[in-house]
Structures are given as structure tokens and as C-alpha cells.
């Protein structure tokens, strides 16, 4: 492995990293393995169920459920970028991830998480158009428009991922290759860098802050108009249905952006890496697990679609 000298620091061309993971003995590792495995299995089952139900039930072929299906796909994918490697490392003696593997994990995690956040903003705009402009809704949110909006979120996620990953890979690393985390997270990776990472941190905080503030503004403005419209409704049943749908979305937005803001858009918010790991569990595993539960348990249309699918399967 080639080595360079940079002042008093030994700069190495790393071929692999060690994911330190969580501290603790065998009992702690077994407990954490069980927790991670349970969260991941529920995440896979819940999101796959949402994708299958929305795909097979013609009554759910509307813009809202098109976006929800894409949200489930993103949740399934980005949790799968993290969980399998984390699970395999709990009982590994080396806990090694190659440089290419770390770069790949960082790239796809940034891509999928950013796209997920932008999609939540699109979903808020969709609810605003459906409730506040129902006559224009079929034209404004036609299938081609919905497809373009989703593609736009992926383009935004790809842009952020390319910028963050390319900047991170240009940073020289010191003799330590131990990443104090259970996956290749950008802040943890920058901690073992030799060079000044001010630019990386500025770009990370800037882009993440812009996305969080932008999406939050879209959500707040959309739901401000939605609230006013709901209060003007005469039908109590209509108000309840709208509040139920919008409440599910607001819960998902709060869970996702609350933890992401603490980790990536607020310098110094996490006092220790152990706290950072706990916070990371929420947006890498807990939120993707809860999203299908939030939307299915609070959504009458999804519950009825599940019943119809179950009855159809039983009949055959």
C-alpha cells in the first residue's frame, strides 16, 4: 500500500476501511443484531407489500399512490444499502469494507436519501393540488407530469450524491482506516481525513440545509393552504378523510427530516459518535419501517385494497 508524507501525518492510499460499529460485548452485539434484523425484515415486508398492493389494485392508480409506491421503493432500497452489511459485521472479526464498497455505499445512500426527501416535498404539493385545486388536479398532475416530478427528484438526488461522493473521495486519509460507524456515512468518513475538510462540510451543510429548508417550506405552505381549505369543508367525513391522509404525510416528513437535520444540517448537534449512530438508526431503518405502517394503518383506501387482494388470493 503506497504511503505519502504530508507534514507530520502519514497519508495512505487506502484499499479498505474497518466499520467499527457499536461498542459492547457479545450479548450487546446479539441484541443489536436481533434489533437490526427485525427492523430490516419489517421494512422489506412492509414496503414490498405497499408496492405490490398499489401495483395490482387499479383503484390505487392515482398520483398520490404513484408517489407513495415510489417512496416505498426508495425506503426499501436505501435501507438495503445499509442493513445487510451492518448485519454481517455484527459477528465479523474484521468488519472490513473495501474502498470501492465504501464509495458505492456512500454514493447510493446519498442518492436514495436525497431523492426520498425531495419526494416528500412532491407529495405535499400533490396533496395541495388535489385538495385546494381539485378542478385543475387531473390536468396538472397527469401521468406524464407525475413521472417528470419523480425523475426530477432522482436528478436532484444524483446531483447531491455525485458532488458529496466526489469531494469525499478526493480527501487524503491518515494512517487510521477505522470508521467509527456501522456504515460509510460522510461525517464519519471525514473524521479520519488528514486534510482540511472545511469545503466538504460546507457543501454538505449547504446542500442538506437547502434541501431541508426548501422541502419544509413547500410542506408548510402546502399544508397551510390545505388547512384553510379543510376548515371550510361542510362535510365532517370529508374533513376526517383529508386530515387522515395529510396527517400520515406530516408524520413521515417529521420523522425523516427531524433526524436528517440533526445529523447533516446542524454542525455540532451530535456530541458523540455513539449518539450519532443511534440517531442514524432512525433514518436508515426506523423511518423506512414506519412509513408503510403509517400510510396503511391511517389510510382507508390502502386497507380496503389489502382486503380485496387477500380475498382475491383466497378465492384462487
Amino acid at each position: 500500500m503506497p504511503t505519502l508524507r504530508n507534514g507530520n501525518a502519514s497519508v495512505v492510499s487506502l484499499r479498505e476501511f474497518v466499520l467499527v460499529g457499536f461498542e459492547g460485548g457479545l450479548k450487546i452485539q446479539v441484541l443489536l443484531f436481533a434489533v437490526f434484523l427485525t427492523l430490516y425484515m419489517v421494512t422489506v415486508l412492509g414496503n414490498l407489500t405497499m408496492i405490490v398492493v398499489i401495483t395490482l389494485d387499479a383503484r390505487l392508480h392515482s398520483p398520490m399512490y404513484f408517489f407513495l409506491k415510489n417512496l416505498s421503493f426508495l425506503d426499501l432500497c436505501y435501507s438495503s444499502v445499509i442493513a445487510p452489511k451492518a448485519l454481517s459485521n455484527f459477528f465479523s472479526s474484521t468488519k472490513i469494507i473495501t474502498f470501492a464498497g465504501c464509495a458505492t455505499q456512500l454514493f447510493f445512500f446519498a442518492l436514495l436519501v436525497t431523492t426520498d426527501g425531495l419526494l416528500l416535498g412532491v407529495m405535499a404539493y400533490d396533496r395541495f393540488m388535489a385538495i385546494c385545486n381539485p378542478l385543475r388536479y387531473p390536468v396538472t398532475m397527469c401521468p406524464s407530469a407525475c413521472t417528470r416530478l419523480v425523475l426530477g427528484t432522482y436528478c436532484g438526488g444524483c446531483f447531491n450524491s455525485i458532488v458529496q461522493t466526489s469531494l469525499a473521495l478526493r480527501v487524503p486519509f491518515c494512517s487510521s482506516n477505522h470508521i467509527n460507524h456501522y456504515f460509510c456515512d460522510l461525517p464519519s468518513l471525514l473524521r479520519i481525513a488528514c486534510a482540511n475538510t472545511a469545503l466538504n462540510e460546507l457543501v454538505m451543510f449547504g446542500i442538506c440545509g437547502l434541501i431541508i429548508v426548501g422541502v419544509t417550506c413547500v410542506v408548510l405552505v402546502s399544508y397551510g393552504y390545505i388547512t384553510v381549505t379543510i376548515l371550510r369543508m361542510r362535510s365532517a367525513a370529508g374533513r376526517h378523510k383529508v386530515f387522515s391522509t395529510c396527517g400520515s404525510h406530516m408524520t413521515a416528513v417529521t420523522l425523516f427530516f427531524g433526524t436528517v437535520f440533526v445529523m447533516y444540517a446542524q454542525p455540532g448537534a451530535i456530541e458523540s459518535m455513539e449518539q450519532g449512530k443511534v440517531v442514524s438508526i432512525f433514518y436508515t431503518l426506523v423511518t423506512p419501517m414506519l412509513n408503510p405502517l403509517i400510510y396503511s394503518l391511517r389510510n382507508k383506501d390502502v386497507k380496503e385494497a389489502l382486503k380485496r387482494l387477500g380475498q382475491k388470493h383466497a378465492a384462487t
Side-chain angles (χ1 to χ4, degrees):
M1 184 179 297
T3 305
L4 304 174
R5 300 300 302 181
N6 182 14
N8 296 323
S10 176
V11 182
V12 295
S13 177
L14 296 177
R15 296 176 184 173
E16 59 188 28
F17 294 102
V18 176
L19 296 173
V20 175
F22 293 89
E23 297 178 354
L26 181 60
K27 291 183 178 180
I28 297 296
Q29 299 302 311
V30 171
L31 177 61
L32 288 171
F33 176 84
V35 170
F36 269 62
L37 182 62
T38 301
L39 290 174
Y40 183 56
M41 290 181 66
V42 175
T43 298
V44 172
L45 180 62
N47 285 290
L48 279 179
T49 300
M50 290 295 290
I51 293 171
V52 170
V53 169
I54 294 172
T55 301
L56 297 180
D57 197 301
R59 299 183 188 183
L60 299 183
H61 291 178
S62 65
M64 182 178 77
Y65 294 107
F66 172 72
F67 295 133
L68 183 55
K69 182 169 72 172
N70 278 276
L71 182 69
S72 293
F73 173 74
L74 288 167
D75 286 343
L76 176 63
C77 288
Y78 86 70
S79 60
S80 296
V81 170
I82 303 300
K85 183 61 179 176
L87 287 168
S88 67
N89 279 348
F90 277 116
F91 302 115
S92 172
S93 58
T94 58
K95 300 185 177 183
I96 287 175
I97 184 171
T98 64
F99 184 87
C102 185
T104 302
Q105 189 179 65
L106 175 62
F107 176 84
F108 281 104
F109 180 70
L111 166 63
L112 295 166
V113 170
T114 304
T115 305
D116 196 290
L118 293 173
L119 185 61
L120 290 172
V122 170
M123 292 173 70
Y125 174 71
D126 170 70
R127 291 299 81 208
F128 161 73
M129 292 301 300
I131 296 168
C132 301
N133 296 283
L135 297 179
R136 296 175 54 190
Y137 182 70
V139 177
T140 306
M141 303 301 290
C142 63
S144 60
C146 293
T147 302
R148 286 195 297 270
L149 285 170
V150 171
L151 288 176
T153 63
Y154 276 94
C155 289
C158 192
F159 171 77
N160 181 44
S161 182
I162 291 173
V163 171
Q164 303 283 9
T165 306
S166 60
L167 286 176
L169 297 182
R170 292 174 60 186
V171 174
F173 296 98
C174 297
S175 54
S176 174
N177 65 340
H178 286 62
I179 299 176
N180 191 12
H181 215 303
Y182 60 89
F183 70 101
C184 285
D185 194 27
L186 183 57
S188 301
L189 195 60
L190 295 180
R191 283 175 179 259
I192 62 172
C194 289
N196 188 343
T197 60
L199 176 61
N200 299 72
E201 294 173 4
L202 180 63
V203 171
M204 181 179 69
F205 296 139
I207 294 179
C208 292
L210 181 63
I211 292 172
I212 292 172
V213 171
V215 173
T216 301
C217 287
V218 170
V219 171
L220 291 177
V221 171
S222 297
Y223 280 96
Y225 279 104
I226 289 172
T227 302
V228 173
T229 304
I230 291 174
L231 294 176
R232 292 176 179 173
M233 289 182 176
R234 296 181 180 180
S235 170
R239 286 198 299 269
H240 176 74
K241 182 178 181 179
V242 173
F243 267 126
S244 177
T245 303
C246 295
S248 299
H249 185 249
M250 284 300 295
T251 303
V253 170
T254 303
L255 284 172
F256 180 81
F257 281 111
T259 52
V260 170
F261 176 79
V262 171
M263 281 299 296
Y264 299 106
Q266 191 177 5
I270 301 297
E271 295 181 358
S272 70
M273 286 308 301
E274 293 304 313
Q275 290 178 348
K277 295 172 194 176
V278 174
V279 173
S280 297
I281 293 175
F282 279 90
Y283 64 83
T284 58
L285 288 172
V286 175
T287 301
M289 178 199 69
L290 290 178
N291 278 345
L293 299 176
I294 291 169
Y295 284 104
S296 61
L297 294 177
R298 294 177 60 89
N299 192 304
K300 184 179 178 181
D301 294 336
V302 174
K303 287 188 285 188
E304 290 178 350
L306 283 168
K307 290 180 182 178
R308 287 193 295 269
L309 189 64
Q311 292 170 355
K312 184 178 180 180
H313 178 73
T316 56

